[in-house]
Amino acid sequence: MTSSVAERNSVSQKVIGLIGGMSWESSAEYYRIINERVRDRLGGLHSARCLMWSFDFAEVEALQHAGRWEDATALMIDAARRLERGGADFVVICTNTMHRMADQVQAAIGLPLLHIADPTAERIRAAGLRRVGLLGTAFTMEQDFYKGRLVQKHGLEVLVPGDADRATVHRVIYDELVQGRIDEASREAYRGVIARLVERGAEAVILGCTEIMLLVRSEDSPVPLYDTTAIHAEAAVELALSNI
């Protein structure tokens, strides 16, 4: 690549604004995947032009479990505005759960927000699948902000685990994965949850929490797994490089 082409590619990259730290383990995966994909696309020493606002997750988690969603929304809007002032061209929320306030964040800024559910659903539909299982935090599995978008915007049928399985999935996320703990017994428990979703007719399973990919791999499921972390990060790269 000549220097003039390299300079043009660098200038043409959109700046990705990442709202991270929820948790930092999955945010690190976003950063890794985004930079690897940019290098794959542009070659040489290229990496992504990006900004990240990273939360102290303890603060966010306390608001989540206290049901203080308005306060959590205010934090998210503040983070997005910081990225906007910093020069981001679009915003990526590096977590599924906090897409609960994606519409409010989008309304508060003048930048596009790349919603995590959209590229995930697009890949599922492109594969000819319609009935999917959804794993995530209790907030994601039980509230309508995520399931509703998959159903109403993308025409998917969404299955969530039963009560006991939802409790297990949620507990492992907060007690283990966001703290960097990977437990083989928890992997086996997730295999059981996935198997029960498949028994109910799930043709694929969405890993709808950005930490689950740290625990579960394709060999743990008899049906395709859709890792929202990788899909979202790759979609961010596609948008960032769309002018090149």
Side-chain angles (χ1 to χ4, degrees):
M1 181 180 292
T2 66
S3 60
S4 61
V5 173
E7 290 169 2
R8 183 171 68 250
N9 283 346
S10 176
V11 171
S12 298
Q13 279 195 60
K14 295 183 179 71
V15 177
I16 305 170
L18 301 162
I19 303 179
M22 300 171 289
S23 65
W24 70 259
E25 282 87 355
S26 61
S27 298
E29 291 299 308
Y30 268 88
Y31 187 75
R32 178 185 63 79
I33 294 167
I34 285 170
N35 281 286
E36 286 179 350
R37 296 299 180 271
V38 169
R39 183 182 60 196
D40 292 343
R41 283 279 301 274
L42 300 183
L45 299 179
H46 282 289
S47 56
R49 300 176 69 201
C50 61
L51 303 171
M52 180 181 285
W53 172 260
S54 188
F55 281 104
D56 176 355
F57 187 51
E59 180 181 9
V60 175
E61 184 274 339
L63 295 176
Q64 289 175 341
H65 284 93
R68 294 172 56 189
W69 293 107
E70 290 186 4
D71 292 334
T73 298
L75 288 181
M76 294 292 289
I77 289 172
D78 176 69
R81 286 174 171 167
R82 288 173 185 266
L83 292 172
E84 185 171 27
R85 292 194 300 269
D89 290 305
F90 64 95
V91 170
V92 173
I93 300 174
C94 302
T95 164
N96 288 270
T97 297
M98 298 304 277
H99 277 75
R100 188 183 193 277
M101 59 280 297
D103 290 345
Q104 295 97 314
V105 173
Q106 178 64 91
I109 59 176
L111 308 176
L113 186 150
L114 180 60
H115 198 292
I116 195 169
D118 293 341
T120 301
E122 288 162 7
R123 286 207 189 180
I124 292 168
R125 287 178 57 89
L129 305 174
R130 290 295 181 271
R131 180 179 291 179
V132 296
L134 174 63
L135 302 182
T137 66
F139 314 114
T140 299
M141 292 185 290
E142 296 171 3
Q143 298 177 19
D144 197 49
F145 68 91
Y146 197 93
K147 293 183 295 182
R149 192 176 185 95
L150 294 174
V151 173
Q152 295 159 19
K153 182 173 181 178
H154 298 283
L156 299 180
E157 180 181 349
V158 181
L159 306 175
V160 297
D163 292 350
D165 282 346
R166 290 201 308 274
T168 296
V169 171
H170 183 86
R171 176 191 59 77
V172 169
I173 291 168
Y174 280 94
D175 291 354
E176 299 174 18
L177 299 182
V178 300
Q179 300 180 44
R181 290 175 50 204
I182 305 299
D183 190 305
E184 186 60 36
S186 296
R187 179 178 286 112
E188 187 61 33
Y190 269 54
R191 288 176 182 148
V193 173
I194 291 169
R196 286 184 282 278
L197 286 170
V198 173
E199 289 172 2
R200 292 168 52 200
E203 301 170 312
V205 173
I206 296 173
L207 304 184
C209 172
T210 51
E211 282 78 26
I212 295 178
M213 52 82 70
L214 302 173
L215 179 68
V216 176
R217 298 288 185 265
S218 59
E219 58 267 26
D220 297 313
S221 172
V223 297
L225 298 177
Y226 286 82
D227 171 12
T228 55
T229 302
I231 293 169
H232 201 202
E234 289 165 2
V237 171
E238 289 299 314
L239 182 53
L241 302 184
S242 59
N243 291 337
I244 296 177

